[in-house]
Amino acid sequence: MTLLAPSLLAANYMALGESIRDAELAGADYLHIDVMDGHFVPNLTFGIDMVSEIAKAAKIPLDVHLMLENPELYIEQFAAAGAKIISVHIEACPHIHRIIHQIKEAGCQAGVVLNPGTAAETLTSVLSEVDLVLQMTVNPGYGGQSFIPGTLSNIAFFNQYRKENGLHYRIEVDGGINQETADLCKDAGVDILVAGSYFFQSADKKDTADFLKK
C-alpha cells in the first residue's frame, strides 16, 4: 500500500492543530513539512520553533523537507525539534554525502531531493546511502501547482535502479498530486505521496486518503 504524507503547506494555519488531527484520523502515515527560506525558493514557511510545536501535537512522524541554502547549518536543530525524516536538495548541497551522514548522525532518516529539471543520474553516487529519494513534481516554492509529467521518467529510473542494485530507499513525490497523477506516480514506482491542496481541500479527507493509499 502506498504511504501518504499530507503537506501542511496547504493546511489551515489558523487551525493547524485541527488540520493535524484531520490528517491523522484520515490515516496519514507522515506529516510533510516544507521549510522554505526565501532564498533557495521564493517563499518563507515553517521555522524550527513551529516544527517543534507541530511535533508536540502530532502522533505520526514528521517528514521535514528543507528547501534552504546551507541546510547543513540547521540539521541538528530540526532533528532536536522532532523531525524523523530530513530531506535536503541536491541542488543546494555541494557536499551531499557529508550532509546525508550528518542527518543520520543527528538520529534522523536521510532523504535527498531533486527539482524537476535535475537528472536522476545526478544522485547515483549517493543512492546507496539514503533512506528516501524525493522527486519534486512541480518547481518548489508554492503549493497548488500543476504536475510536471516529465518527472515520471526520473521516478521510473529510481525504481529500476534500486531493483537492479538491491537497494531499499523509498521514493516520494511532492507536487500536483491528485486522483490522476497519483496513479501515474504509483505505476512508476512511488512509495510515498505528498498531497497538499488535494488532501486538505477535500470534503471527505478519509475517502481521499483511502484512495491515495490503496
Side-chain angles (χ1 to χ4, degrees):
M1 182 176 286
T2 307
L3 302 178
L4 174 63
S7 173
L8 292 182
L9 186 65
N12 179 358
Y13 294 172
M14 297 300 291
L16 198 54
E18 183 178 337
S19 294
I20 291 169
R21 288 190 293 275
D22 285 345
E24 292 173 340
L25 291 171
D29 302 281
Y30 302 96
L31 290 173
H32 188 83
I33 302 176
D34 291 308
V35 178
M36 306 182 190
D37 65 357
H39 296 282
F40 181 67
V41 293
N43 199 357
L44 291 166
T45 58
F46 306 99
I48 295 162
D49 290 343
M50 180 63 78
V51 171
S52 179
E53 292 303 311
I54 292 169
K56 293 174 186 176
K59 297 182 176 65
I60 55 178
L62 304 189
D63 171 21
V64 177
H65 173 193
L66 301 184
M67 303 185 202
L68 309 176
E69 292 182 356
N70 307 120
E72 67 277 6
L73 301 178
Y74 308 99
I75 300 298
E76 285 78 13
Q77 295 175 71
F78 278 106
K84 297 303 179 186
I85 303 169
I86 296 178
S87 299
V88 295
H89 275 258
I90 184 68
E91 300 89 357
C93 300
H95 306 294
I96 187 63
H97 185 273
R98 180 188 300 165
I99 295 175
I100 289 167
H101 283 271
Q102 182 184 359
I103 294 169
K104 291 185 175 184
E105 289 165 7
C108 297
Q109 295 181 38
V112 63
V113 192
L114 69 168
N115 287 333
T118 301
E121 291 81 359
T122 307
L123 303 188
T124 53
S125 64
V126 296
L127 287 176
S128 63
E129 307 282 343
V130 300
D131 302 294
L132 179 77
V133 175
L134 171 52
Q135 173 67 56
M136 292 302 299
T137 44
V138 298
N139 290 300
Y142 296 98
Q145 299 183 68
S146 297
F147 184 89
I148 298 173
T151 56
L152 290 167
S153 60
N154 273 6
I155 298 166
F157 174 90
F158 292 128
N159 188 36
Q160 186 64 27
Y161 188 91
R162 67 179 169 182
K163 290 177 181 177
E164 292 176 350
N165 293 276
L167 302 178
H168 302 287
Y169 56 80
R170 288 161 297 163
I171 302 171
E172 183 176 38
V173 292
D174 183 0
I177 296 301
N178 56 34
Q179 182 173 350
E180 178 184 359
T181 59
D183 283 340
L184 293 173
C185 290
K186 287 186 277 190
D187 288 344
V190 162
D191 305 295
I192 305 173
L193 295 167
V194 175
S197 302
Y198 182 68
F199 176 80
F200 280 110
Q201 293 178 12
S202 63
D204 190 323
K205 295 176 178 59
K206 180 67 167 63
D207 280 352
T208 300
D210 287 346
F211 166 77
L212 292 172
K213 288 163 63 72
K214 72 180 180 181

